[in-house]
Amino acid sequence: MIKVITYGSFDMLHEGHVRLLKRAKALGDHLTVGVTTDDFDRARGKINVRQSLMERIEAVRNLDLADEIIAEEYEGQKIDDIQRLDIDIFVIGSDWTGRFDYLREYCQVVYLPRTEGISSTDLRSNDAPISLGVTSGTALPVKALEQSRYVNGLSISGLCVPDAGAVKEKPEGVPFITDDYRELLDRSDAVYISSDPSRHYEEIKLALERGMNVLCRTPIAIRTRDFDELEELASSKGLVIVDAIKTAYCQAYTRLLLLLKSGIIGEVLSVDSTCTSLRDQDIEDADPGTWNSLCLWGIFAMLPVFQILGTDYVSKRIITRFVNRKTFHDGFTKIDFLYPGAVASVKSGQNVKSEGELVISGTRGYVYVPAPWWKTDYFEVRYEDQTKNRRFFYQLEGDGIRYEMLAFVNSVRSKRHTKAVDESVSRAIVKVLEDFYAGVDLTEI
Ligand code: C2G
C-alpha cells in the first residue's frame, strides 16, 4: 500500500485545495491530510486565517478524499509523522518548491503545480476592507499605523490629530490628516480611538450614533455612567466597542488564563502585577485629561486581576503619589484589592522603575511571567518540587496591537463581540478610574 501525506491550512476551502488533494490521493492508496492548528499558523506568521481548526478539518473531511486527518502543530512535525505513519510520498503545492527537499531522506517528495487564479487570501479580501479612521492625542499613533499593515481586511482611511497643520510628514499609507473628527468619521467605516482618555466618551458616542463600530484604546470611558450609556447604545444598534488592551490578545497571556482555569496552580490566592515605564515625558506640565500613568499603565496591571479573580472585590485601596495633583497626573499608583479568599496588588507608574512582572500565587504552585509581562511570549508554572516546573512559549509579533485589530475585524465581520475582554472587566476598570478621579478609596503619599 502506498501512503501519501500532505499539509495545509485549508482556510475557506476552494478549488485549488480540492484539486491538490485529488491529485495527492491519486498518487497512492491512502491519503493523510495534516491541517495546521491555529497556534502553528500564528507561529509561522499566518495570522489571518478565518476559520477555526475544527471548521477547516470539517471542510476537508466533507470532501471524502482523506483517509486520515491529523493536526499539524509544530515545526518539524512532518518528519515525525512520515516515520510514525510509514509514509511513502509527501505532496505539497509548487509554491513550496524546494522548501521540503530535506524530507527526501525519509520519503519521496512531490511538488504539484499550484492552481492559478485562486487563493484563500483572494477569498478573504473579497469582502471590501474596513476603512479605519484613527484618532490620536498628542503624538502620532505610529505603532498602530504600522501594525495595521499586517491585518487582512483593514485599511487606514485617515488620521485625526489635534494640531493636524503642524504634522510635517504624513505617515506612510495614511491618505489624509485632519483635526476635524467629524470629517474623519465621514470618510471611514469604523474608528480606532487612541486620543486622550477624556475624549473617548464623546468620540465613541459620535461614532456609534453614525452606526460605526469602535476599537478604542483602553479605557473606553472614565465614568461608569458614560461607559454604561455607550455599551447600551452599541448594543441597541448592533455595534461593537472593542476595548483595546493589547495584552488581552497576546497568545501567551490568553493561554495562561485558560491554564489557570484548569487548576494548574490550584486555587488562586494572590495576583501581583507591576507595569512601570520611566520616561522623560513631562507629566508635570501635562494638560488635564491627557494620559496619566494610571490610564497608560495601571489598566494593564489591573487586567489580570479582574480576569483571574473576577470583578466582585470586597474593597480596594488606591495609594497614589501625584506629580501634578490638579491634572491627576500620577507618578506612582499602587492598588490593593481584597476579595473573599484572595488578594491582589497592582503597581503602576511613569515616575518609578520596578520589575515589570506578574506573579500569580495558588494553593499548589505559582505562575511567573517575567518583565515586560504585558507583552510576553513566555511564562513559567513553578512548584515546590522544581522538577515539575513547566515553561510555556508562544509566538508574539508586534506586541499584540495587530491581534487586537484582527479581533476587531473578525468581530465586525461576524457581528459577534470578541470576548477577549469581558464587558464586566472593562467596566470594573472604568470604576477604578472613576473612584481615582473622585478621590474615593484614595490615599495620597
Ligand atoms: N494550493 C494549490 N492551489 C492554490 C492554493 C493552494 O495547489 N490555488 C495548495 C498549496 O500549495 C498547498 C495546499 O493547497 O499544498 C494547502 O494550501 P494552504 O491552505 O495555503 O496551506 P499552506 O500555507 O500552503 O500550508 O507547512 C506547510 C503547510 O502546512 C502548507
Side-chain angles (χ1 to χ4, degrees):
M1 182 164 78
I2 298 174
K3 292 183 85 178
V4 182
I5 196 163
T6 189
Y7 295 87
S9 308
F10 302 103
D11 189 30
M12 311 178 81
L13 196 84
H14 56 68
E15 198 44 38
H17 297 139
V18 179
R19 290 200 50 218
L20 183 112
L21 292 173
K22 278 187 180 156
R23 286 175 290 162
K25 172 101 179 167
L27 288 175
D29 311 302
H30 182 278
L31 176 67
T32 302
V33 180
V35 182
T36 49
T37 61
D38 304 326
D39 284 358
F40 183 50
D41 272 329
R42 270 191 181 213
R44 63 193 187 116
K46 255 189 151 173
I47 66 164
N48 290 304
V49 171
R50 281 275 172 82
Q51 294 180 299
S52 68
L53 174 64
M54 283 332 274
E55 288 171 308
R56 292 180 285 119
I57 286 182
E58 216 34 52
V60 171
R61 194 194 313 281
N62 287 339
L63 291 177
D64 227 3
L65 290 167
D67 298 289
E68 188 173 350
I69 299 177
I70 58 170
E72 186 185 20
E73 295 180 84
Y74 60 93
E75 196 71 49
Q77 183 185 321
K78 292 184 179 77
I79 298 176
D80 185 42
D81 290 340
I82 289 167
Q83 291 185 323
R84 194 170 42 88
L85 301 170
D86 206 10
I87 298 294
D88 302 290
I89 309 174
F90 167 87
V91 181
I92 197 98
S94 53
D95 44 327
W96 292 94
T97 299
R99 291 279 294 275
F100 292 107
D101 287 356
Y102 69 91
L103 295 175
R104 290 195 199 281
E105 204 180 303
Y106 309 94
C107 67
Q108 197 185 329
V109 174
V110 175
Y111 298 101
L112 290 173
R114 194 182 148 88
T115 307
E116 291 309 316
I118 184 153
S119 71
S120 307
T121 311
D122 287 346
L123 290 176
R124 285 191 290 258
S125 59
N126 265 352
D127 312 325
I130 297 169
S131 76
L132 189 71
V134 181
T135 70
S136 186
T138 39
L140 284 178
V142 180
K143 239 198 232 168
L145 294 173
E146 199 224 28
Q147 289 295 308
S148 69
R149 291 198 208 114
Y150 296 92
V151 184
N152 234 333
L154 195 71
S155 71
I156 299 296
S157 63
L159 185 61
C160 177
V161 287
D163 198 0
V167 180
K168 300 262 176 332
E169 224 177 290
K170 210 162 49 159
E172 204 194 314
V174 176
F176 73 93
I177 300 189
T178 179
D179 45 23
D180 179 356
Y181 181 58
R182 285 180 168 77
E183 185 195 350
L184 182 82
L185 295 185
D186 284 341
R187 299 170 69 173
S188 313
D189 302 328
V191 69
Y192 175 53
I193 294 173
S194 75
S195 54
D196 292 321
S198 56
R199 300 176 57 92
H200 290 184
Y201 165 71
E202 282 299 331
E203 291 186 353
I204 296 176
K205 194 171 165 184
L206 268 174
L208 293 174
E209 281 169 352
R210 289 180 180 216
M212 295 164 76
N213 292 293
V214 175
L215 175 64
C216 180
R217 183 171 165 194
T218 197
I220 289 174
I222 51 175
R223 275 185 297 255
T224 47
R225 89 176 124 83
D226 293 348
F227 177 85
D228 294 341
E229 183 192 330
L230 294 173
E231 288 295 340
E232 237 177 82
L233 183 59
S235 95
S236 72
K237 288 182 163 267
L239 298 168
V240 296
I241 309 172
V242 171
D243 198 352
I245 311 182
K246 63 184 180 207
T247 305
Y249 301 86
C250 293
Q251 211 180 4
Y253 177 77
T254 54
R255 287 303 145 94
L256 166 61
L257 294 184
L258 293 176
L259 280 174
L260 290 173
K261 281 219 168 77
S262 77
I264 195 161
I265 57 165
E267 195 189 334
V268 175
L269 296 185
S270 165
V271 178
D272 297 273
S273 75
T274 302
C275 301
T276 66
S277 161
L278 202 56
R279 299 236 177 105
D280 296 333
Q281 237 164 1
D282 193 2
I283 44 177
E284 220 167 300
D285 296 325
D287 292 328
T290 54
W291 292 96
N292 58 10
S293 305
L294 188 61
C295 288
L296 211 50
W297 291 107
I299 294 175
F300 284 92
M302 281 186 256
L303 181 75
V305 174
F306 294 140
Q307 289 195 308
I308 296 165
L309 296 175
T311 54
D312 290 329
Y313 53 86
V314 180
S315 64
K316 70 173 176 308
R317 183 170 177 209
I318 311 172
I319 303 155
T320 285
R321 200 170 101 142
F322 282 110
V323 173
N324 187 336
R325 175 82 187 76
K326 278 201 206 85
T327 58
F328 289 98
H329 280 89
D330 56 320
F332 172 64
T333 296
K334 180 175 191 291
I335 312 176
D336 292 319
F337 295 93
L338 183 70
Y339 284 82
V343 289
S345 175
V346 310
K347 277 191 273 181
S348 68
Q350 273 175 303
N351 218 0
V352 58
K353 191 67 200 157
S354 188
E355 185 70 14
E357 62 189 10
L358 171 65
V359 180
I360 303 152
S361 317
T363 49
R364 288 182 39 223
Y366 71 100
V367 172
Y368 176 70
V369 194
W373 75 262
W374 55 91
K375 51 177 174 186
T376 190
D377 52 1
Y378 164 71
F379 62 86
E380 284 184 41
V381 180
R382 296 177 178 172
Y383 298 97
E384 190 68 44
D385 174 359
Q386 290 181 20
T387 60
K388 297 217 166 77
N389 288 4
R390 286 172 67 189
R391 295 163 172 221
F392 294 83
F393 297 87
Y394 297 91
Q395 190 80 8
L396 176 72
E397 309 275 358
D399 83 1
I401 294 183
R402 72 178 68 169
Y403 303 123
E404 70 189 14
M405 288 181 164
L406 192 67
F408 177 67
V409 171
N410 289 339
S411 307
V412 170
R413 286 249 150 82
S414 65
K415 296 197 167 43
R416 249 183 298 146
H417 205 314
T418 161
K419 289 283 174 246
V421 184
D422 207 72
E423 199 179 309
S424 64
V425 170
S426 299
R427 192 179 193 281
I429 288 168
V430 174
K431 172 72 178 140
V432 172
L433 300 180
E434 178 174 69
D435 288 348
F436 170 80
Y437 290 116
V440 175
D441 299 333
L442 181 79
T443 306
E444 274 184 60
I445 53 167

